[in-house]
Amino acid sequence: MAFKPAKWPRKLRSTEWFGGTSRDHIYHRSWMKNQGLPDDLFDGRPVIGICNTWSQLTPCNAHLRDLAERVKHGIYEAGGFPVEFPVFSTGESTLRPTAMMFRNLASMDVEEAIRGTPLDGVVLLVGCDKTTPSLLMGAASVDIPSIVVTGGPMLNGWFQGERVGSGTHLWKFSEAVKAGEMTQEEFLEAEAAMSRSPGSCNTMGTASTMASMAEALGMALSGNAAIPAVDSRRRVIAHLSGRRIVQMVKDDLKPSDILTREAFENAIRTNGAIGGSTNAVIHLLAIAGRVGIDLSLDDWDKAGRDIPTIVNLMPSGKYLMEEFFYAGGLPVVIKRLGEAGMLNKDAITVSGETMWDQVKDVKNWNEDVILPAEKALTSQGGIAVLKGNLAPNGAVLKPSAASPHLMQHKGRAVVFEDIDDYKAKINDDALDIDETCVMVLKNCGPKGYPGMSEVGNMGLPPKVLKKGITDMVRISDARMSGTAYGTVVLHTSPEAAAGGPLAVVKNGDMIELDVPNRKIHLDISEEELSARLADWKPSHHVPDSGYARLFHDHVQGADTGADFDFLKGCRGSAVPKDSH
Ligand code: FES
């Protein structure tokens, strides 16, 4: 149904704080005025919050203060009143045990910060992996007009004359050192070459994927995802987003108007076309849960199954986000989906236009970066959702990052009970393993790690790497970095720490992976599996107290987005009890 803008002028949410002459109104305005704000900023104009995930501990977002200033220019120009505030910033490369453990906490921070303050609309300033979904989740639960501005990717890395992709080459170089193909000195030299400008990972990793998801959902201005962090046009889109949010408030265009089932289908298909991260599965399921859209793991397989991966970017392909931007960026990909009948064209976006209207006239400037369908990296991009007795609630695999010869494979299980067990054994030449085996890692899911670490693409044993083998089938309840690759089965649900069948796999069991038939099977009898499950006792560490305990007790399975049970749904913007 077409969106109908609200009438303007009308009384806004912020007038509850600022729009009167009572003692409380004076109290709210007076304290704000200690910042040197003129009277007319409190005259009923839209008050726009800028949720800033700037932090020096989130290096990918360390340039967002500058971008916030650009957003403010736009807000002032359009007649709004900008107020910038910090929210919990989840830095992927620094935060332990894993940034994922704090995604839900950050979303709570954002939700409560928006609801408890005099805001009529928000600009979500994000970049690094978890910052994008956490702010979208929080804003969706409050449901006031919201627009995403990402910080943009880093410029291309270069080392020894070749492109170096964030993350992707960290794994590659690390394995090359283990295989004796690269020296440790060279690896150290590559360190600075990988990250040579402000911005988020320059591969189609999770940050670029989530920036693309925000755009494909309609929550960011068209073209936002790919503009490099240091390109002057990144500042322009921040400026324009500032202008736009003011009009969104006047129109009352909210996340619930944009985040429809059709929008999620568009995002899922886009993820297939860009060869996006498996992490998008968890985050989109969680965002959908906040707006009450009944999105399931099966929707990922159904909607994304026949989407060719046409974006030739690492980790699946050869280029980086900088080249994607020069080629035309995400609007070209979305247009291609539309031409192929794979786009819900009428989905409304933050611009007020439909998705189709804003992409229909764009051009592809480089067909080696955004490929024609007949040259797609894989005709079945998307995310393969596997089911079977090993994953009754599902597991995922990214076909575009996997090896074709392993897509149907049966092998002997080599089991690691947790990540410490893996680290203790993997470099031991006495480990009974070869390239035909299936590596199984337990207790790395949401409860088990805790936080669901990105260790699913566990490195291969050196003795296999030295043979020139670069891929083996790996299965776990963990996640995988969006910059990683391999025939890796992830998010196995229920997870081992929750008593899923993964918990009872033993060394020597045979496991069958059959991606074309979406099957993952532990080759033991039903009776044997039931007997093992009846004997199973949790072996993971349960945190005694604090946030880790809250997380452990309330996090849901990866198959439904790993949100907290008590955070699902949209709670709206009404303050439950006004203290004044
Ligand atoms: Fe922050 Fe990749 S580590 S975007």
Side-chain angles (χ1 to χ4, degrees):
M1 208 170 63
F3 171 74
K4 225 171 122 234
K7 283 209 173 78
W8 181 258
R10 65 177 193 287
K11 192 176 162 197
L12 292 174
R13 183 172 186 269
S14 57
T15 57
E16 296 287 327
W17 281 259
F18 297 144
T21 54
S22 73
R23 181 204 64 182
D24 289 347
H25 291 116
I26 292 168
Y27 168 52
H28 294 308
R29 284 193 302 265
S30 172
W31 264 252
M32 287 295 282
K33 283 181 176 178
N34 80 351
Q35 300 176 82
L37 302 172
D39 285 344
D40 57 5
L41 286 182
F42 302 91
D43 62 1
R45 69 185 67 197
V47 179
I48 308 295
I50 303 171
C51 299
N52 200 342
T53 52
W54 168 85
S55 165
Q56 286 189 294
L57 287 169
T58 305
C60 317
N61 296 16
H63 60 301
L64 294 188
R65 275 169 140 184
D66 170 61
L67 228 43
E69 292 306 314
R70 305 295 162 156
V71 173
K72 284 180 200 170
H73 290 327
I75 293 170
Y76 278 127
E77 273 175 14
F81 170 14
V83 280
E84 181 187 354
F85 62 100
V87 289
F88 185 15
S89 187
T90 47
E92 199 67 29
S93 58
T94 44
L95 201 50
R96 291 184 178 179
T98 166
M100 181 62 186
M101 190 167 109
F102 303 100
R103 184 200 65 178
N104 298 348
L105 180 62
S107 80
M108 289 165 77
D109 173 0
V110 172
E111 176 180 344
E112 301 304 334
I114 296 173
R115 184 180 296 113
T117 50
L119 302 178
D120 301 309
V122 280
V123 179
L124 310 175
L125 264 185
V126 294
C128 196
D129 300 16
K130 306 299 175 295
T131 57
T132 307
S134 58
L135 268 62
L136 272 169
M137 289 160 72
S141 279
V142 187
D143 202 27
I144 64 171
S146 310
I147 190 168
V148 170
V149 178
T150 54
M154 290 186 242
L155 295 176
N156 283 4
W158 290 95
F159 183 65
Q160 296 181 342
E162 295 199 7
R163 279 182 194 81
V164 176
S166 317
T168 301
H169 276 81
L170 186 68
W171 325 127
K172 278 202 171 130
F173 289 160
S174 157
E175 300 207 338
V177 171
K178 278 197 212 166
E181 294 160 2
M182 185 181 202
T183 65
Q184 184 66 27
E185 290 65 38
E186 285 176 308
F187 194 11
L188 287 170
E189 207 187 315
E191 189 177 293
M194 287 186 217
S195 310
R196 57 178 274 259
S197 85
S200 50
C201 288
N202 56 21
T203 39
M204 187 50 82
T206 304
S208 301
T209 299
M210 290 312 298
S212 301
M213 294 297 90
E215 188 173 328
L217 284 167
M219 288 298 296
L221 289 182
S222 191
N224 170 78
I227 307 171
V230 295
D231 193 296
S232 53
R233 287 160 286 186
R234 172 61 55 195
R235 291 173 164 182
V236 173
I237 206 153
H239 192 135
L240 295 177
S241 300
R243 283 188 195 161
R244 179 61 203 157
I245 187 66
V246 176
Q247 190 59 44
M248 286 174 70
V249 169
K250 291 178 178 172
D251 292 346
D252 201 24
L253 176 56
K254 302 183 295 302
S256 57
D257 298 310
I258 298 167
L259 295 173
T260 58
R261 184 170 181 86
E262 289 72 25
F264 282 99
E265 287 171 359
N266 284 345
I268 289 172
R269 292 184 184 128
T270 301
N271 190 61
I274 62 177
S277 164
T278 45
N279 283 320
V281 178
I282 295 189
H283 300 322
L284 258 58
L285 290 171
I287 297 164
R290 297 297 183 98
V291 278
I293 301 289
D294 185 19
L295 194 72
S296 74
L297 207 47
D298 292 333
D299 290 318
W300 272 89
D301 205 310
K302 259 185 264 153
R305 193 168 192 141
D306 298 319
I307 306 291
T309 299
I310 55 169
V311 175
N312 190 7
L313 256 58
M314 295 180 208
S316 305
K318 88 178 188 205
Y319 294 106
L320 294 166
M321 288 298 283
E322 199 181 328
E323 280 113 351
F324 187 39
F325 173 57
Y326 302 146
L330 199 70
V332 177
V333 177
I334 295 176
K335 180 183 179 186
R336 291 274 296 277
L337 288 171
E339 288 169 341
M342 292 170 172
L343 185 77
N344 296 311
K345 292 182 172 177
D346 293 337
I348 193 81
T349 72
V350 285
S351 69
E353 288 185 311
T354 65
M355 186 57 81
W356 181 245
D357 276 344
Q358 58 184 20
V359 301
K360 63 183 185 330
D361 298 323
V362 299
K363 286 195 174 61
N364 183 2
W365 300 106
N366 189 333
E367 293 215 333
D368 198 36
V369 175
I370 305 174
L371 304 162
E374 61 278 11
K375 290 194 181 157
L377 296 181
T378 169
S379 57
Q380 295 224 324
I383 299 289
V385 176
L386 310 166
K387 292 217 171 143
N389 66 351
L390 191 49
N393 295 351
V396 303
L397 176 140
K398 181 175 166 183
S400 66
S403 301
H405 73 281
L406 291 173
M407 300 293 252
Q408 287 180 305
H409 180 82
K410 191 167 182 175
R412 171 172 62 86
V414 176
V415 175
F416 305 101
E417 291 300 324
D418 54 31
I419 192 66
D420 293 328
D421 189 34
Y422 163 79
K423 284 180 183 164
K425 291 177 180 162
I426 194 65
N427 293 325
D428 186 349
D429 276 348
L431 182 68
D432 183 14
I433 191 167
D434 63 36
E435 60 274 23
T436 65
C437 292
V438 173
M439 296 167 69
V440 175
L441 175 62
K442 304 177 183 176
N443 289 313
C444 290
K447 285 182 193 294
Y449 194 76
M452 202 177 180
S453 182
E454 289 187 333
V455 292
N457 58 315
M458 53 195 128
L460 305 191
K463 67 179 184 181
V464 171
L465 287 168
K466 281 181 189 145
K467 289 195 234 173
I469 306 288
T470 54
D471 197 9
M472 286 172 64
V473 173
R474 288 157 271 181
I475 300 176
S476 72
D477 45 13
R479 294 176 302 119
M480 167 171 94
S481 163
T483 60
Y485 48 87
T487 309
V488 186
V489 177
L490 303 153
H491 312 180
T492 303
S493 301
E495 64 173 303
L502 186 72
V504 298
V505 180
K506 291 184 178 171
N507 277 316
D509 286 344
M510 295 303 286
I511 293 180
E512 188 189 351
L513 170 68
D514 182 353
V515 180
N517 291 303
R518 301 300 196 251
K519 191 172 141 193
I520 182 89
H521 181 71
L522 177 63
D523 199 7
I524 60 174
S525 68
E526 257 180 61
E527 297 73 39
E528 169 70 12
L529 180 58
S530 305
R532 288 191 196 177
L533 285 170
D535 278 352
W536 172 79
K537 297 206 175 30
S539 59
H540 69 288
H541 169 71
V542 178
D544 313 327
S545 60
Y547 173 72
R549 181 57 187 255
L550 177 89
F551 185 92
H552 177 275
D553 291 352
H554 291 280
V555 72
Q556 299 187 304
D559 56 307
T560 58
D563 202 359
F564 290 155
D565 47 9
F566 60 86
L567 286 180
K568 286 217 159 192
C570 176
R571 284 163 284 283
S573 64
V575 178
K577 190 163 183 282
D578 194 344
S579 59
H580 290 281

